[in-house]
Amino acid sequence: GENVEQHPSTLSVQEGDSAVIKCTYSDSASNYFPWYKQELGKRPQLIIDIRSNVGEKKDQRIAVTLNKTAKHFSLHITETQPEDSAVYFCAARPISSGSARQLTFGSGTQLTVLP
Amino acid sequence: NAGVTQTPKFQVLKTGQSMTLQCAQDMNHNSMYWYRQDPGMGLRLIYYSASEGTTDKGEVPNGYNVSRLNKREFSLRLESAAPSQTSVYFCASSEALSGATGELFFGEGSRLTVL
């Protein structure tokens, strides 16, 4: 089955700096890679995703890059703000399954943005 | 639209006691899931239901049972709680169309402590 490794487990940055979280996956059949954000005491919510036919996707201050050859993908947050402080989870699955059943999550990264 | 609602939000059990976590969604989604979240381990799938009338084991099903009561409701039962089941439990739902991204919509979580 799929194995997703996520690094680092904790990350502290100064407000305004950039943050990068990296994930690697093992199953070459995976072709859909979402990122979920979980604020303290809240539910995880999807913030951005990418399919394998795209190398990069941006949405305002967040972007995700994918290297299928190396089997890794990364989340980039620019101009970080205090509200970016949260736990971020990467995940991977084959999109053909049509279900989140085969979605495998990474272990999470606690991002803290220092004022 | 309430989305995904789960109850209770907090529960303390003694070892050996039983309890049921309730979950309901009003988004007309076919698929529903139960995850547990433990520190440093991300979100692990306990059971899922691809559609009404079907259920199947996920990554960590031991000690749990589920019931897909109808399209809206999916409950998780602990028959004889153990301290190892102390965790935060999340119910989620998604649309399950072949080729779709299957974005997960989570409930607010249920924090369970087993003494």
Side-chain angles (χ1 to χ4, degrees), chain A residues 32 36 38 41-46 49 51 87 89 93 95-108, chain B residues 4 31 33 35 37 40-43 45 48 57-58 90 94-104 106-108:
Chain A
Y32 173 64
Y36 285 80
Q38 185 181 25
K42 301 289 181 64
R43 71 191 82 192
Q45 291 187 296
L46 179 71
D49 55 17
R51 300 190 188 200
V87 177
F89 293 100
R93 76 166 176 91
I95 201 170
S96 59
S97 72
S99 163
R101 160 64 182 95
Q102 291 177 283
L103 190 67
T104 301
F105 284 91
S107 55
Chain B
V4 179
S31 299
Y33 313 82
Y35 288 89
Q37 182 178 21
M41 302 191 75
L43 293 154
L45 184 64
Y48 73 102
K57 296 177 181 179
F90 285 97
S94 73
E95 193 50 78
L97 300 174
S98 179
T101 59
E103 176 182 355
L104 285 167
F106 288 90
E108 291 185 321

Side-chain angles (χ1 to χ4, degrees), chain B residues 59-112:
Chain B
E59 181 186 353
V60 288
N62 291 345
Y64 305 95
N65 283 303
V66 290
S67 296
R68 182 75 182 267
L69 305 170
N70 48 55
K71 190 171 185 179
R72 291 187 64 248
E73 298 173 288
F74 188 39
S75 62
L76 178 72
R77 182 160 179 83
L78 287 69
E79 290 291 352
S80 179
S84 60
Q85 294 178 304
T86 293
S87 187
V88 179
Y89 292 85
F90 285 97
C91 177
S93 70
S94 73
E95 193 50 78
L97 300 174
S98 179
T101 59
E103 176 182 355
L104 285 167
F105 294 85
F106 288 90
E108 291 185 321
S110 298
R111 183 175 293 276
L112 175 65

Side-chain angles (χ1 to χ4, degrees), chain B residues 8-81:
Chain B
K9 286 188 170 50
F10 301 94
Q11 184 71 49
V12 178
L13 291 177
K14 294 181 179 179
T15 298
Q17 287 185 320
S18 62
M19 77 159 297
T20 299
L21 298 175
Q22 307 284 357
C23 176
Q25 52 94 8
D26 62 2
M27 294 175 284
N28 203 35
H29 286 163
N30 286 311
S31 299
M32 297 186 73
Y33 313 82
W34 277 105
Y35 288 89
R36 60 177 289 172
Q37 182 178 21
D38 302 291
M41 302 191 75
L43 293 154
R44 293 183 294 167
L45 184 64
I46 304 171
Y47 268 93
Y48 73 102
S49 171
S51 62
E52 185 179 353
T54 68
T55 61
D56 210 341
K57 296 177 181 179
E59 181 186 353
V60 288
N62 291 345
Y64 305 95
N65 283 303
V66 290
S67 296
R68 182 75 182 267
L69 305 170
N70 48 55
K71 190 171 185 179
R72 291 187 64 248
E73 298 173 288
F74 188 39
S75 62
L76 178 72
R77 182 160 179 83
L78 287 69
E79 290 291 352
S80 179

